[in-house]
Amino acid sequence: MDRDRYLLLSAFCLLTGRIEGEQFSAIWREFAENPGECLQDPLAERGWIPPEDRPHLEYLADCCLREHGGDAQAASLHLLAAARKSVASLDRLAPENTLVYSGPECEDPPSESRVAQPQAAPPAEVRYTYTEIHATGGMGRVWRVHDLQLDREVALKELRPEKVGNRTAAARFVREARLTGLLEHPGIVPVYELASGSDSRPPFYTMRFVRGGTLGAAIRDFHAKRGNGQEEPLEFVHLLTAFVAVCNTVAYAHSRQVLHRDLKGENVILGDFGEVIVLDWGIAKRTDLPEDEDFENSESPRYDSHDAGLTIQGEVIGTPAYMAPEQAEGRLEDIDERTDVYGLGAMLYEILTGRPPFAGSSTLEVLRLAIRGNPTAPRDHWPEAPAALQEICLKALAREPAERFARAEEIAQAVQQWQEVQRRRAEDALRRQTEVLRSILNSMSEGVLVTDASGQVLLINPAGERMFGSIAGAMLAESHGVGEFFMPDQVTRFTPEELPLARAIRGDDVNDVEMYIHPPTERGPFWASANARPLRNGAGVLQGGVVVFRDITERKQAERELVLSRERFELAVLGSQDGLWDWYPKTGEIYYSPRWKSILG
């Protein structure tokens, strides 16, 4: 390989992030300072690129060399100019934004037909009335519009006005609409109409309007709550369920030979009614057709995309923070279903950690990290992340495509199997806890009654059934015997609001309330002491009440007999003609009868 081709190869290494700018400058200086010498390959000599990357980089250099008629110097200068323009444009982008490519922007020459459109709502069409702009992306913007023919609200996506004269952007836009329309799946928004536009307005297509938020927003919300210890137990389950739905949607697209190439949480909508919709198929690709012939033979409306240059070798397509290494390097020939598998792994990584696999201060830095691969393990960010899900995630994020899951449905199955194992474990633990609780309740002599917020009985133990019988299911209903609960005077009835269980359902703690109860059972009236507590969920919301009744009939009878015994003793003493005197030495208490007092004064 001659000197100029070495420089071209080095330029490709710089452009793809394999070497740094300082390293490229060192190579350039070395060749410039030794113009007549045949130097060894500095890339291999210094170990700056791994040997396995060398054939691929040489292939790209040869492609570029052919495009410049074999002039290696011209090809190198072209690449360096592209790199300078790419750096300037990339530094203005956030790593979370989707890139269509990293080279210089290819615009068509200006023409009279290319007129920038105003940002205000376009004139009302015959069929649609415009409400508001719902979202704006890099290539298009989405309006909420009303379809007058079918009297319904739909989404209308149009090419951004400043890109109307850009044939590449227009071809991509129309291609996105047709690809989306090709995919008929519950997880992909249906396309209703595609219009080619006119001189006065850009092309557009209409689709179902899905109300809801993005999966990315739901992930951020979950981890914000997790950081504060306020997450709901089922929120993580809902995120995983949505992720499985995304995997199945992508698997369907793959079955139709379509790759998404830009999978991330912001491109997934969680509908208000359980929908999980994968959006933004703008840089999707059909694997059964060449990139520039995806819709070559489609009927009007159409853009001639044969020479549109939708993609070229070395382009960077996707979102840097979620890119597979082959995407970040622009190796388009290596992008296949496993590239989308990597994107799904990045999405799962974000569910587990609250952040994308790669983060940096600039887009170029993130691209370099994506090229190297090997993100930090999720449990380094969230130690409580399930180990099995981390293993699934890191397999999907393997740097080498052959080491990843082969298909999107395999990730879905792996996550579902983990969820099934967790469900069975939870059921087993709940069953064991229920058995222990039931054993304790069955062995208790106290009656235990648990109700929901309306007073409907959820649980009553055998002792409670023996105490109350059929009245237990209607303790709070006035028409079902509430009047059979008396206060300690055995005359005054408890009102429904004063019953211990009713107070607990309102949020009060009730301690040792004595009640005289007339249940509709054969056992007859009995005395009980009631303790009641509110029943709350993990968030502290009232869900019902729990009341424990302890039968104190024997104690009350003993107290009554003691009172009667004392009354009889007093009566006997009062009627005695003998003087009675008693002294209790432990306490020093002295008792004497009235006769004793009258005798001794």
Side-chain angles (χ1 to χ4, degrees), residues 100 106-108 139-140 158-178 194-197 201-205 282 295 301-305 308 310:
V100 175
C106 296
E107 296 280 355
D108 286 340
M139 186 166 59
E158 66 179 4
L159 190 66
R160 290 177 60 171
E162 63 270 22
K163 293 186 176 291
V164 170
N166 184 335
R167 293 178 60 218
T168 299
R172 286 188 184 278
F173 182 84
V174 173
R175 190 164 152 275
E176 174 187 5
R178 291 176 175 156
L194 171 62
S196 60
R201 63 155 301 130
F204 70 89
Y205 64 93
F295 292 98
R302 65 186 295 272
Y303 284 82
D304 184 3
S305 60
L310 294 184

Side-chain angles (χ1 to χ4, degrees), residues 263 476 549:
L263 292 169
L476 298 182
F549 291 95

Side-chain angles (χ1 to χ4, degrees), residues 27-280:
I27 295 173
W28 187 278
R29 285 195 302 270
E30 186 173 348
F31 276 83
E33 293 169 357
N34 302 279
E37 297 182 25
C38 183
L39 301 177
Q40 297 296 320
D41 178 7
L43 295 171
E45 186 179 74
R46 301 177 187 182
W48 285 348
I49 61 172
E52 60 269 20
D53 288 355
R54 183 61 179 266
H56 170 67
L57 291 168
E58 289 183 353
Y59 167 76
L60 292 178
D62 288 340
C63 290
C64 185
L65 194 62
R66 285 195 298 271
E67 292 176 0
H68 290 80
D71 188 339
Q73 287 190 1
S76 299
L77 293 174
H78 171 78
L79 282 179
L80 293 176
R84 284 194 295 271
K85 191 168 184 179
S86 298
V87 170
S89 60
L90 284 174
D91 282 342
R92 294 192 296 268
L93 294 174
E96 293 78 14
N97 289 342
T98 299
L99 301 178
V100 175
Y101 69 108
S102 64
E105 188 172 354
C106 296
E107 296 280 355
D108 286 340
S111 65
E112 295 181 0
S113 63
R114 184 180 178 184
V115 180
Q117 301 298 315
Q119 294 299 308
E125 302 288 339
V126 174
R127 180 168 180 175
Y128 303 105
T129 58
Y130 292 76
T131 305
E132 63 180 356
I133 292 180
H134 178 67
T136 300
M139 186 166 59
R141 61 182 183 180
V142 179
W143 290 83
R144 288 176 58 187
V145 302
H146 188 76
D147 185 339
L148 298 176
Q149 288 187 8
L150 297 176
D151 191 22
R152 63 180 179 180
E153 188 177 50
V154 299
L156 183 149
K157 185 169 185 178
E158 66 179 4
L159 190 66
R160 290 177 60 171
E162 63 270 22
K163 293 186 176 291
V164 170
N166 184 335
R167 293 178 60 218
T168 299
R172 286 188 184 278
F173 182 84
V174 173
R175 190 164 152 275
E176 174 187 5
R178 291 176 175 156
L179 264 176
T180 307
L182 173 70
L183 303 173
E184 298 180 288
H185 186 272
I188 301 172
V189 65
V191 173
Y192 299 141
E193 179 188 12
L194 171 62
S196 60
S198 63
D199 292 340
S200 62
R201 63 155 301 130
F204 70 89
Y205 64 93
T206 58
M207 52 190 167
R208 176 187 169 197
F209 184 80
V210 182
R211 293 172 176 82
T214 67
L215 176 59
I219 292 171
R220 291 190 295 272
D221 182 62
F222 167 74
H223 283 280
K225 291 181 180 178
R226 180 185 62 79
N228 297 325
Q230 298 176 340
E231 76 275 16
E232 291 286 345
L234 291 180
E235 282 187 90
F236 187 64
V237 176
H238 291 160
L239 293 177
L240 291 178
T241 301
F243 173 74
V244 169
V246 172
C247 291
N248 290 329
T249 300
V250 173
Y252 164 78
H254 290 175
S255 74
R256 301 299 303 272
Q257 289 78 49
V258 175
L259 306 179
H260 189 282
R261 301 198 293 188
D262 194 21
L263 292 169
K264 56 185 177 181
E266 295 305 315
N267 285 342
V268 177
I269 292 291
L270 305 182
D272 293 339
F273 300 97
E275 310 99 313
V276 179
I277 307 294
V278 180
L279 300 176
D280 204 347

Side-chain angles (χ1 to χ4, degrees), residues 287-368:
T287 58
D288 58 338
L289 293 175
E291 182 92 23
D292 59 355
E293 296 178 0
D294 281 1
F295 292 98
E296 177 71 16
N297 299 318
S298 301
E299 296 181 0
S300 182
R302 65 186 295 272
Y303 284 82
D304 184 3
S305 60
H306 184 70
D307 296 320
L310 294 184
T311 56
I312 60 172
Q313 286 295 332
E315 284 187 346
V316 178
I317 295 179
T319 301
Y322 304 86
M323 277 185 183
E326 61 268 23
Q327 279 181 287
E329 289 184 294
R331 291 188 277 122
L332 298 185
E333 78 282 359
D334 292 337
I335 293 177
D336 58 17
E337 288 85 353
R338 293 169 298 183
T339 304
D340 275 352
V341 165
Y342 191 100
L344 293 171
M347 196 180 298
L348 180 57
Y349 188 97
E350 192 167 19
I351 290 174
L352 295 178
T353 66
R355 52 181 289 169
F358 305 108
S361 58
S362 69
T363 297
L364 286 175
E365 181 183 351
V366 174
L367 279 173
R368 293 190 186 102

